[in-house]
Amino acid sequence: MRKGNVVVWLKSSQRETFSPTYPKSASYNQFTRELDKRQNLFFAYDAQSYRGDDVFSPVSKYVNGQIVASEKEVTADVIYNLGSVPKQNFISKRARITNTTEFKEFCFSKFAISQYLSQFSPRTIFIATEKDFWSALEHIETEQVVFKPDRGTNGVGVKIFEKSKAIVDDDMRSHLEQGAVLQEFIDTGRGIPKICGSYHDLRLVTINEQIVLAHVRIPEGGSFIANYQQGATIHELRKDIVPEEIFRFYRAVHLKVTKRFPKPMYSMDIGVGRSGPQLFELNGHTAFPWPNFECRDFFVKNLIEHLESFLN
């Protein structure tokens, strides 16, 4: 394997990720230190740093534990699209990009995921108006209904309500303008044996064709929304306690994902209901492990190997 120029492409707002005060900075800095020993590592910020034909300027370097700005111009061999900076249909000259803008765009849309992976997903209907909402509601067969912004993140705008008490409030109207979905509710209240006893969201992160991280998120009391930003708790899982039923489901979903998007790195969120595992969503931004997670070394190792695989 040759040594190459690896450019980590970020938004300026992500500079704090590597700051000592950021909760996961230990994991991000471990990745940076180890990759910098093996490759020519650079950081580029925002769209204006890309000059065309794989060239970035200015770039920053990792020096003695700090990201230091320079005026250097670099031609990338590999672009790590950590910040989802490039727009859809971005085309590099020779450099390989991971994840691609096409895969990131796919993962942003809950409706696109549900359409392509319909056999693994709850019934999902795209809505953009109040009229769409009431029409879609007639096709939802579960007593509980899920409303989500189609391109939402961190659980913002998600509402779970009884079908018989459905209303469209101002917050929902604001999300409808950008597109939203109604979904049938996956009742995960029976939990997962040896893992949890009630509502949950189990996440498996794939990098380098390996499951590099597994954790479960448990909603706070009285909530169905298992999102950390909405108060859920997170527990790392050893893979040997995850039921084989979930791994079979994961492998079937992953096979279909990779048929369309080769060599992805992503997280898969799964809920186990009365009929077995179902897909909540995919995420093309693979958040790093918490510093106390035992999988941290394995995660970093496979992320580096994934990036280096594009140099072969």
Side-chain angles (χ1 to χ4, degrees):
M1 180 190 66
R2 65 189 177 89
K3 192 170 185 177
N5 294 336
V6 178
V7 175
V8 179
W9 202 358
L10 301 157
K11 295 184 178 75
S12 291
S13 59
Q14 292 175 285
R15 291 179 189 271
E16 67 168 359
T17 303
F18 298 87
S19 165
T21 59
Y22 187 72
K24 295 183 180 180
S25 66
S27 297
Y28 281 95
N29 280 285
Q30 178 181 345
F31 158 72
T32 302
R33 284 194 308 273
E34 295 185 16
L35 181 58
D36 189 54
K37 294 174 185 176
R38 298 165 62 135
Q39 303 297 335
N40 304 315
L41 175 61
F42 304 93
F43 293 84
Y45 294 95
D46 302 321
Q48 61 266 32
S49 66
Y50 185 69
R51 307 298 180 175
D53 293 339
D54 303 336
V55 175
F56 289 84
S57 179
V59 295
S60 299
K61 282 285 292 175
Y62 192 73
V63 181
N64 297 324
Q66 300 290 326
I67 298 176
V68 180
S70 76
E71 297 301 317
K72 191 176 179 65
E73 180 179 282
V74 168
T75 300
D77 295 303
V78 178
I79 302 168
Y80 178 13
N81 183 17
L82 182 57
S84 302
V85 178
K87 297 186 182 299
Q88 194 173 11
N89 300 320
F90 170 84
I91 299 175
S92 58
K93 186 177 181 180
R94 293 189 182 86
R96 305 288 299 279
I97 183 168
T98 184
N99 279 314
T100 64
T101 55
E102 290 78 14
F103 183 61
K104 288 261 190 174
E105 189 67 21
F106 170 74
C107 290
F108 281 141
S109 171
K110 293 166 180 59
F111 183 66
I113 292 167
S114 70
Q115 289 295 101
Y116 181 63
L117 300 168
S118 58
Q119 67 268 49
F120 308 109
S121 305
R123 179 175 296 176
T124 303
I125 304 169
F126 184 83
I127 57 176
T129 66
E130 286 192 52
K131 182 179 178 181
D132 290 346
F133 175 92
W134 295 111
S135 175
L137 194 64
E138 295 179 2
H139 298 280
I140 299 295
E141 297 182 358
T142 54
E143 293 181 7
Q144 299 275 9
V145 183
V146 183
F147 173 94
K148 295 179 181 178
D150 182 50
R151 298 170 63 86
T153 59
N154 298 329
V156 175
V158 176
K159 295 181 185 295
I160 300 174
F161 51 88
E162 293 182 30
K163 183 177 179 178
S164 61
K165 298 179 180 179
I167 61 168
V168 179
D169 61 24
D170 289 342
D171 183 57
M172 294 164 74
R173 289 188 188 95
S174 68
H175 292 297
L176 281 171
E177 294 175 3
Q178 303 300 319
V181 296
L182 278 190
Q183 287 184 325
E184 292 188 342
F185 179 70
I186 304 171
D187 185 355
T188 67
R190 294 192 301 176
I192 306 172
K194 299 182 181 179
I195 292 178
C196 62
S198 188
Y199 297 103
H200 59 271
D201 184 333
L202 187 146
R203 171 168 289 185
L204 300 175
V205 176
T206 300
I207 299 176
N208 197 35
E209 291 298 310
Q210 300 284 331
I211 296 174
V212 296
L213 184 154
H215 72 222
V216 66
R217 292 176 293 184
I218 310 294
E220 64 178 349
S223 174
F224 294 124
I225 301 174
N227 190 282
Y228 177 72
Q229 284 78 8
Q230 304 298 322
T233 57
I234 299 178
H235 306 279
E236 183 181 15
L237 300 175
R238 299 194 325 269
K239 284 185 282 186
D240 63 343
I241 70 168
V242 176
E244 178 57 28
E245 174 189 37
I246 291 176
F247 285 129
R248 283 197 302 270
F249 178 84
Y250 160 83
R251 288 191 292 268
V253 176
H254 181 66
L255 179 62
K256 187 158 186 182
V257 169
T258 54
K259 282 182 177 179
R260 182 172 170 185
F261 303 104
K263 296 180 70 169
M265 51 180 176
Y266 67 102
S267 60
M268 183 187 302
D269 291 350
I270 300 167
V272 180
R274 295 181 182 277
S275 60
Q278 285 194 276
L279 180 66
F280 283 137
E281 63 183 42
L282 305 180
N283 193 321
H285 172 72
T286 49
F288 278 51
W290 292 92
N292 63 327
F293 274 24
E294 293 181 4
C295 69
R296 196 172 97 186
D297 290 348
F298 189 65
F299 181 103
V300 168
K301 171 182 177 292
N302 277 280
L303 177 53
I304 291 173
E305 289 179 1
H306 172 78
L307 294 171
E308 290 180 335
S309 71
F310 293 101
L311 294 169
N312 294 333

